[in-house]
Amino acid sequence: MMIVKKRLALGLGFFLVLLLAACGGESSSSDGEELIDGIEDPHNDEVVNIGYSGPLSGPAALYGENTLTGIRLAVEQINDGGGFDVNGQNYMLNLVALDDMYLPNETGTNARRLVQEYDTPAIYIPHSGGIFASQVFNEQEEFIIAAYSSEPNITEQGNDLTVRIPPTYDVYIEPFSEYQMERFGDKIALLPTSSEYGKDWTDALIPKWEELGGEVVYEGSVDFNKDTDFFTIVTNALSEDPDVLFIGGPSEPTALIAKQARELGFEGGFLIMDQAKLDEMEVVLETIEPLEGSVGTLPLIHSEYPGTDEFVAQYNEEHGRNPGSEAGFNFVMTYALVEAMKAAGTVSDTHEIMAHMQAGLDNFPEEKMAYEIKEIDSNGGFSVPLRMGVVEDGEIIEVIPE
């Protein structure tokens, strides 16, 4: 049984010209560092540096910038409010952002630099390869990884200084599959991204789909770094007469896969892995119509948490577009981190900060809850209520699996 809520599908100009990571009022050096709100001395005892290593150039730059904007907005708000108090000492935040071009080896290099030069107690990393590369040494060098990835293995490593921010992708597989089977049928063709993440998603989906009585009629993948014309591979998949297409990767090319399938006459449903977002795909297509029958993660702008509307409004005011989950989750993580420092009574002892992360969530200011996260589990993963987004009759609808 599923509980369904409807909200009108929206779409602003999400895919505007990308802002560079160092613009928007911050001063910056040529190697990608950011100094927020005019903090000119990041080594001041009254400044807490937090780090970021993610893609700010190359094919994943938009994704990296979307993640960074959420952290940046929280930092600006906290500093504009006078900073925060820990044991009677007032602190300001300083965000130091470095480009790793989505390359795990660069992430590791950046993380070591951030710790050695800026003494960062926490570093945000928005891709699983970079997270795993940094988990090799983060406990020894005593910095918290704020991990923005739904890869389950991130919090199955026994790493005491890792926080996994979003839910793991495996929680979506069964409800996504049940929805599509009930609405369209049990034959599925697979066309996900060829990345390791896409392979992991596929490896988890196939046995669950078959366990539920379904049949996999085509197995393929798309290399979005190389492939720009999807006609042949989509044609091959549709030749097996599937009821459902499994697609996913970055939102923009995933939307084009869906468009190509519709142009070739596909009338079934799309099961969309969580990397692609329905609202972002809608903007690319300039209409929600081709996505009719899709199931994916619920876009932030269609969520109803205590601070969602305020966050969306503030983000729009600053960036002129709607925020995605990347911005929202990392915005929330930044406030949770500050509250954990306050509860721990320290801005530098990372083990104490981690030990007080639940207190940070308990003390979280309600008006800042773009997402409501009530607990962190024993492995370091935030527990987030499961929500699905489906497209029915031209609307993105919230579905709550039971």
Side-chain angles (χ1 to χ4, degrees):
M1 181 179 180
M2 296 182 179
I3 301 171
V4 177
K5 297 182 180 180
K6 293 188 177 183
R7 296 187 75 181
L8 184 64
L10 300 175
L12 294 179
F14 182 83
F15 289 96
L16 300 174
V17 177
L18 240 185
L19 296 176
L20 292 176
C23 69
E26 300 85 5
S27 60
S28 140
S29 67
S30 60
D31 58 6
E33 299 166 20
E34 293 194 355
L35 304 179
I36 302 298
D37 281 353
I39 296 176
E40 296 179 356
D41 182 7
H43 305 294
N44 189 304
D45 288 341
E46 297 178 1
V47 171
V48 177
N49 295 306
I50 55 175
Y52 170 92
S53 179
L56 298 174
S57 63
L62 179 62
Y63 168 74
E65 173 64 14
N66 288 339
T67 304
L68 187 60
T69 55
I71 308 167
R72 184 190 296 139
L73 182 57
V75 168
E76 291 173 346
Q77 289 183 2
I78 290 166
N79 286 351
D80 287 346
F84 61 102
D85 183 273
V86 176
N87 278 346
Q89 172 68 58
N90 191 73
Y91 293 95
M92 304 291 277
L93 287 176
N94 182 52
L95 174 61
V96 188
L98 302 178
D99 182 13
D100 63 21
M101 298 168 286
Y102 221 44
L103 301 174
N105 62 313
E106 293 294 329
T107 311
T109 299
N110 286 349
R112 282 198 162 95
R113 179 184 168 196
L114 288 164
V115 172
Q116 292 168 6
E117 294 186 20
Y118 296 93
D119 199 23
T120 50
I123 299 174
Y124 292 74
I125 304 174
H127 54 102
S128 60
I131 293 164
F132 288 131
S134 300
Q135 282 183 321
V136 173
F137 59 88
N138 76 301
E139 290 175 299
Q140 290 75 27
E141 301 199 15
E142 298 190 326
F143 66 91
I144 296 168
I145 297 175
Y148 187 75
S149 172
S150 62
E151 170 57 59
N153 287 334
I154 286 168
T155 43
E156 294 173 0
Q157 304 294 314
N159 189 292
D160 292 333
L161 292 177
T162 296
V163 177
R164 190 200 68 248
I165 303 170
T168 56
Y169 66 75
D170 52 0
V171 303
Y172 298 116
I173 291 173
E174 184 168 352
F176 281 16
S177 299
E178 289 177 339
Y179 176 86
Q180 290 293 4
M181 283 186 175
E182 182 177 342
R183 186 170 178 188
F184 292 103
D186 60 10
K187 295 189 297 181
I188 192 169
L190 312 177
L191 287 177
T193 172
S194 62
S195 69
E196 188 61 38
Y197 187 68
K199 294 174 184 176
D200 290 344
W201 240 99
T202 302
D203 289 344
L205 174 63
I206 289 174
K208 178 55 66 174
W209 187 268
E210 293 176 340
E211 179 187 322
L212 293 171
E215 178 187 2
V216 177
V217 297
Y218 182 85
E219 290 188 47
S221 63
V222 182
D223 186 344
F224 290 123
N225 287 324
K226 297 179 181 178
D227 299 330
T228 56
D229 182 358
F230 310 120
F231 178 84
T232 299
I233 191 167
V234 174
T235 299
N236 291 340
L238 296 185
S239 70
E240 301 299 325
D241 194 28
D243 303 308
V244 179
L245 285 182
F246 169 52
I247 60 177
S251 295
E252 186 172 14
T254 301
L256 299 179
I257 290 274
K259 179 181 180 182
Q260 183 76 82
R262 293 301 189 213
E263 290 173 347
L264 289 169
F266 179 62
E267 297 181 352
F270 295 112
L271 192 159
I272 304 173
M273 61 188 292
D274 60 331
Q275 186 177 0
K277 306 298 189 295
L278 289 169
D279 54 333
E280 297 173 9
M281 295 171 68
E282 177 188 3
V283 172
V284 173
L285 298 172
E286 299 182 341
T287 173
I288 197 69
E289 185 177 352
L291 300 179
E292 181 69 29
S294 294
V295 59
T297 58
L298 183 69
L300 175 60
I301 60 171
H302 297 280
S303 301
E304 296 180 348
Y305 297 104
T308 303
D309 289 345
E310 178 181 321
F311 174 72
V312 171
Q314 291 172 340
Y315 192 95
N316 258 294
E317 182 178 352
E318 183 152 334
H319 297 285
R321 66 181 190 271
N322 282 330
S325 59
E326 293 90 358
F329 272 118
N330 285 281
F331 174 86
V332 168
M333 175 63 198
T334 305
Y335 271 96
L337 178 65
V338 166
E339 291 297 330
M341 289 177 175
K342 290 160 66 174
T346 177
V347 298
S348 59
D349 187 332
T350 52
H351 290 279
E352 278 297 306
I353 295 169
M354 276 294 297
H356 287 80
M357 193 61 69
Q358 181 60 57
L361 295 175
D362 293 340
N363 299 333
F364 199 100
E366 184 173 279
E367 69 276 9
K368 299 301 180 183
M369 288 182 181
Y371 285 100
E372 186 175 16
I373 302 173
K374 294 187 175 180
E375 64 180 9
I376 183 169
D377 65 30
S378 59
N379 290 327
F382 282 161
S383 296
V384 183
L386 180 58
R387 300 288 188 271
M388 295 162 41
V390 303
V391 181
E392 295 182 357
D393 299 323
E395 294 183 71
I396 296 177
I397 300 170
E398 178 182 2
V399 176
I400 305 173
E402 287 192 341

